[in-house]
Amino acid sequence: MNRALLVAGSATLAQGKIYFSETFGDGWESRWTVSKWKESEGTAGKWEANAGKWFKDEAEDKGIQTAEDSRFFGIATSFPSFSNEGKELIIQYQAKYEKDVECGGGYMKIGPKLDDLTTFGDPTPYNVMFGPDKCGYTKRTHLIFNYKGTNVLKKSDLSYKQGEDAGISHLYRMVLKPDNTVRVEIDEEKIYEGSIKEDWEVLKPKEIPDPDDKKPEDWVDSSMMDDPEDKKPDDWVEEKRIVDESASKPDDWDDEEDGEWEAPMKDNPAYKGDWSVKRIENPAYKGIWEAKKIANPEYVDDDKVYSYADFGFLGFDLWQVKGGTIFDNIILCDDVAEADAFAKKWKALNEVETAKKKEEDEAKKAESADAAEGEDDDDADDDKAEAEEM
């Protein structure tokens, strides 16, 4: 579908507006600009149109794919600038890992107007970064908000869907609301809904420790102490090694040539280990001391932490050890019905992919069973042959 027509036509909708949409149909190359940020280093990866191994309709299900391994991938597009102040903003797209990236991202960046899209890269300021990210055992769905020039990560990670089922498309939706809350859905399932003020450190804390409050000198914050009545027994032996008194100097030992003879050491049979005093609860313990809280003079509330004056571009700025990721069906809008229409495209594709994966898994299982059965037959033939020889 032609993106320009979607954007222009959405202005007449009564219930909402589509700010941007892309299904990567014919002519997508003219609407997107490949970044040159890593070109001079020779690490810039190529993009190509691809529907992947499994699809419902190859032409309809084509997206853009990271086409190489161990590369930086950058591509961006622009649209008429808009602000989300006073209304919900829905950011939605689908991503499919054709193979486990091992270490790499599948997230999207959306930000203010960018004059030269060829410069798009890691240093480029953005408003929101959203989508899957993995490196080794660290796996999460990123959701980062830029607040007054600082990129702020969520205090705790959002769950991750990609990687465990290569070849299956996942749908990512984020809804940014005027009440300073945000909702995140993956595959039409809510994985988070909460307050930006509470779950992102966008604002200074309301209270801070009083810098003038000092811990009393007699404050005891050790919960355990040495037992003053516990003494090391007189017969406790801590020497692990002792001189072997039974050893004698060899008859051929020459003090002038070999040096002064010393008896060798041996393990001490009476050794009991290092002695340590028993620990008991400290009766004087008062707890962990904390300075009293006072109002933070730097705290300033903001009822518009959700709001951005300018959205004008979006793009993918990624590092991937293994490429092959396919992105498709992107939409920015303020109407859930429009986002749901795009979600139907994902649903239809996902059902096909899931069925194909099940077929493939069952075929591999059957193949493994046949191979195992063949090995058992070979072993039986070998046993029979050996018995006949005997």
Side-chain angles (χ1 to χ4, degrees), residues 3 20-35 45-53 58-68 73-78 93-98 101 105-109 120 162 169-170 314-318 320 322-330 349 353:
R3 184 190 67 189
F20 172 85
S21 68
E22 177 65 85
T23 59
F24 296 101
D26 292 342
W28 70 268
E29 299 95 335
S30 66
R31 301 190 292 271
W32 289 77
T33 301
V34 175
S35 171
K46 297 178 181 178
W47 295 85
E48 62 183 25
N50 200 335
K53 179 168 63 172
E58 185 172 10
E60 179 69 20
D61 294 333
K62 276 186 179 179
I64 54 170
Q65 182 180 48
T66 55
E68 299 175 278
F73 297 92
I75 194 168
T77 188
S78 61
Y93 72 107
Q94 66 188 52
K96 172 165 60 175
Y97 285 14
E98 286 286 281
V101 297
Y107 44 77
M108 187 165 62
K109 294 180 177 180
F120 174 59
Q162 290 287 353
S169 296
H170 294 286
L314 67 80
F316 297 96
D317 165 39
L318 313 168
Q320 292 187 342
K322 289 186 178 180
T325 306
I326 301 172
F327 302 102
D328 200 5
N329 293 329
I330 304 169
L349 173 60
E353 293 166 338

Side-chain angles (χ1 to χ4, degrees), residues 53-54 96-101 161-170 353 357 360-361:
K53 179 168 63 172
W54 300 317
K96 172 165 60 175
Y97 285 14
E98 286 286 281
K99 51 189 174 183
D100 185 355
V101 297
K161 284 267 189 176
Q162 290 287 353
E164 289 80 7
D165 49 4
I168 303 295
S169 296
H170 294 286
E353 293 166 338
K357 179 171 175 44
E360 183 178 271
D361 291 345

Side-chain angles (χ1 to χ4, degrees), residues 263-278:
M265 303 293 288
K266 68 175 184 177
D267 291 340
N268 186 353
Y271 172 68
K272 294 185 177 182
D274 295 332
W275 184 86
S276 59
V277 66
K278 183 173 66 175

Side-chain angles (χ1 to χ4, degrees), residues 29 63 67 84 170 183 190 248 258 302 318 333:
E29 299 95 335
N84 67 315
H170 294 286
R183 178 184 174 96
K190 183 183 78 173
S248 59
D258 301 327
D302 185 354
L318 313 168
C333 65

Side-chain angles (χ1 to χ4, degrees), residues 299-310:
Y299 170 75
V300 178
D301 196 7
D302 185 354
D303 287 332
K304 294 183 179 180
V305 295
Y306 78 95
S307 177
Y308 294 93
D310 179 19

Side-chain angles (χ1 to χ4, degrees), residues 234-308:
D234 294 337
D235 62 349
W236 192 274
V237 179
E238 290 185 315
E239 290 76 22
K240 190 173 185 179
R241 302 274 291 172
I242 59 173
V243 174
D244 185 357
E245 300 291 350
S246 66
S248 59
K249 184 168 68 173
D251 294 338
D252 60 351
W253 188 273
D254 188 322
D255 288 345
E256 292 184 0
E257 290 185 6
D258 301 327
E260 184 178 354
W261 182 82
E262 293 182 357
M265 303 293 288
K266 68 175 184 177
D267 291 340
N268 186 353
Y271 172 68
K272 294 185 177 182
D274 295 332
W275 184 86
S276 59
V277 66
K278 183 173 66 175
R279 301 281 289 174
I280 61 173
E281 292 185 4
N282 189 345
Y285 175 62
K286 293 185 177 182
I288 303 300
W289 184 86
E290 293 183 355
K292 67 180 181 181
K293 298 285 188 178
I294 61 172
N296 184 358
E298 296 183 0
Y299 170 75
V300 178
D301 196 7
D302 185 354
D303 287 332
K304 294 183 179 180
V305 295
Y306 78 95
S307 177
Y308 294 93

Side-chain angles (χ1 to χ4, degrees), residues 14 36 95 173 200 207 212 243 282 325 327 338 348 384:
K36 295 182 179 180
R173 176 184 291 186
W200 282 259
E207 293 183 323
D212 296 326
V243 174
N282 189 345
T325 306
F327 302 102
E338 298 291 352
K384 182 178 180 181

